[in-house]
Amino acid sequence: MRERVLDAAYELTCADGWDRASLSAVASLAQVSRPSVYKEFGTRARLGHALVTRETRRLLDGVAETLTAADRDPRGALASALLFVLTAAEHNPLLRAVVTAARRGADSLLPCLTARADPLFDAAQHLLRAWLAERFPTRGEEDLDVVTDFVVRTVISHFVLPTWPPEVAAGRLARVAFRMLGET
């Protein structure tokens, strides 16, 4: 039932925006009772958080696969992973709906991507920090933490307000991250 409700919330959010996705509409589309939705999620805000959490987990699974697939070239792997993320921000229906709504002033799900520590920020930090630590075992923790923080914050910023096309941003961010690590 949980997945059906999340699927329904996803569909409604992508079609009409989160602010118009009522619990009644979600329950109806999922073919469950509204009290069942409340019992499973507690509040509409928690349902929204669960929806964004599920989507960001999928996104980060793709990032992890991309980092691993191009592992022989760490800078290329990072650029590929960043391109994956930035492209997803443009093409993922839910992420696009959240960012588009925020640009119109309806930003009730945007904090799940940007301001709350989870699901995206902490998970992305952990994933990238662990990957960098494996590739740069002699680097100090502070260096790795700074590079990780820089990359994750900048990518999230590009989610919301892109400055360059994804392929340009990904290449530039990877290049700067490696320069910060003393790699050219």
Side-chain angles (χ1 to χ4, degrees), residues 19-180:
D19 290 339
R20 293 187 178 168
S22 70
L23 284 181
S24 296
V26 170
S28 176
L29 186 59
Q31 299 180 335
V32 299
S33 69
R34 189 170 178 224
S36 295
V37 175
Y38 274 110
K39 184 177 179 185
E40 181 67 27
F41 295 97
T43 65
R44 185 172 175 277
R46 288 182 61 201
L47 172 59
H49 189 266
L51 178 62
V52 171
T53 298
R54 182 179 79 165
E55 202 62 22
T56 56
R57 280 190 186 135
R58 291 176 177 171
L59 178 66
L60 292 175
D61 286 347
V63 169
E65 288 175 24
T66 303
L67 286 170
T68 302
D71 206 26
R72 283 185 241 158
D73 171 18
R75 188 166 128 189
L78 181 59
S80 294
L82 296 175
L83 180 59
F84 175 85
V85 170
L86 294 171
T87 301
E90 284 188 345
H91 300 291
N92 179 290
L94 181 66
L95 296 176
R96 192 173 59 236
V98 170
V99 170
T100 300
R103 289 179 185 150
R104 290 191 317 251
D107 61 356
S108 56
L109 282 182
L110 187 63
C112 293
L113 290 175
T114 59
R116 295 185 187 134
D118 64 321
L120 182 60
F121 188 78
D122 284 350
Q125 287 262 355
H126 178 73
L127 173 66
L128 182 57
R129 175 64 168 77
W131 184 82
L132 287 171
E134 285 180 17
R135 270 114 208 113
F136 300 97
T138 61
R139 285 282 178 226
E141 289 190 31
E142 183 177 340
D143 289 348
L144 296 175
D145 290 343
V146 168
V147 171
T148 299
D149 192 66
F150 161 75
V151 170
V152 171
R153 287 180 191 277
T154 306
V155 167
I156 290 173
S157 174
H158 275 274
F159 254 29
V160 178
L161 190 60
T163 305
W164 308 297
E167 58 280 356
V168 172
R172 287 179 177 175
L173 290 173
R175 191 169 40 257
V176 170
F178 273 71
R179 282 183 190 155
M180 291 172 74

